[in-house]
């Protein structure tokens, strides 16, 4: 009888310790075993954050008001952040391989040149309505000093003082068009 009570007491202590550690047993709305935190690799977390950032900032096409004389040519020039992100996407693994080769860009200067700016004739898009597509094309040249550090088998550093890359960016957005005069609502 004494052995059973010792085992029962040990089991009771073990269960109480297990449910009182971390997020388990915390008062509030519970979702059962789903409330146990699962560690996520920093690589996957960073990739998800980058995907969400680009989706929120650059992947949506806004519908702007109708075109008038007050609308400037090349309405939305690409930001430096967008140019650098597209440069990194265009040259995968340009940062090198960790612990073997690492690449850095120093003294970055970006020039943006408007190549073309034109508007298509009005047409109807489902779920949007009658709109005009405004096309703007930019040539972005990125000038920088590149430093390449190789760590294996023999450590050395390469400095390129006049490196440059060219990226072409197409930015399209929609302009609303009023209802044609000859149609009835």
């Amino acid at each position: 009888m004494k052995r059973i009570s010792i085992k029962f007491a040990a089991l009771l202590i073990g269960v109480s310790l297990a449910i009182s550690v971390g997020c388990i047993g915390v008062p509030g709305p519970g979702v059962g075993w789903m409330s146990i935190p699962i560690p996520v690799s920093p690589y996957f977390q960073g990739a998800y954050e980058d995907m969400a950032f680009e989706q929120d900032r650059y992947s949506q096409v806004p519908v702007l008001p109708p075109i008038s004389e007050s609308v400037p040519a090349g309405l939305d020039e690409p930001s430096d952040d967008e140019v650098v992100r597209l440069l990194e996407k265009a040259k995968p693994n340009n940062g090198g391989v960790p612990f073997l080769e690492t690449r850095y860009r120093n003294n970055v200067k970006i020039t943006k040149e408007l190549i073309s700016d034109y508007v298509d004739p009005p047409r109807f898009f489902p779920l949007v309505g009658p709109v005009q597509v405004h096309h703007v094309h930019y040539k972005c040249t990125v000038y920088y000093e590149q430093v390449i550090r190789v760590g294996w088998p023999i450590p050395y550093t390469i400095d390129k003082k006049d490196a440059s890359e060219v990226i072409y960016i197409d930015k399209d957005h929609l302009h609303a068009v009023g209802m044609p005069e000859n149609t009835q609502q």
Side-chain angles (χ1 to χ4, degrees):
M1 183 71 171
K2 195 171 190 179
R3 281 189 161 186
I4 295 174
S5 64
I6 291 174
K7 287 182 182 179
F8 181 71
L11 180 66
L12 186 62
I13 290 172
V15 169
S16 66
L17 285 176
I19 65 170
S20 66
V21 176
C23 295
I24 303 172
V26 175
V31 288
W33 62 272
M34 296 279 294
S35 64
I36 301 171
I38 300 170
V40 177
S41 167
Y43 171 78
F44 293 112
Q45 180 67 28
Y48 182 75
E49 288 174 1
D50 286 344
M51 181 190 68
F53 178 80
E54 289 183 14
Q55 174 69 28
D56 289 345
R57 186 129 187 211
Y58 302 120
S59 297
Q60 298 175 357
V61 179
V63 179
L64 300 176
I67 296 176
S68 65
E69 289 76 28
S70 64
V71 175
L75 185 65
D76 49 353
E77 172 176 283
S79 65
D80 292 345
D81 174 58
E82 184 177 7
V83 172
V84 171
R85 282 179 178 271
L86 289 173
L87 177 66
E88 291 173 359
K89 226 186 248 186
K91 300 191 73 133
N93 207 8
N94 196 26
V97 180
F99 304 112
L100 296 179
E101 175 186 305
T102 309
R103 296 173 183 237
Y104 302 99
R105 288 190 196 101
N106 298 329
N107 299 329
V108 176
K109 294 180 187 88
I110 300 173
T111 61
K112 300 164 195 153
E113 177 184 342
L114 179 65
I115 296 175
S116 65
D117 181 8
Y118 59 95
V119 179
D120 289 346
R123 63 183 234 189
F124 184 82
F125 280 91
L127 301 175
V128 177
V131 293
Q132 289 180 303
V133 181
H134 189 175
H135 303 277
V136 184
H137 304 286
Y138 285 95
K139 175 184 176 184
C140 301
T141 308
V142 181
Y143 299 99
Y144 56 93
E145 295 176 6
Q146 186 175 31
V147 178
I148 303 172
R149 292 199 173 113
V150 178
W152 191 84
I154 300 169
Y156 61 93
T157 301
I158 301 171
D159 291 332
K160 291 183 181 179
K161 298 292 183 189
D162 57 350
S164 65
E165 297 286 339
V166 176
I167 293 182
Y168 293 93
I169 298 177
D170 301 333
K171 297 185 71 78
D172 300 332
H173 52 273
L174 303 174
H175 287 280
V177 175
M179 293 296 291
E181 294 176 11
N182 58 1
T183 61
Q184 299 290 328
Q185 288 187 359

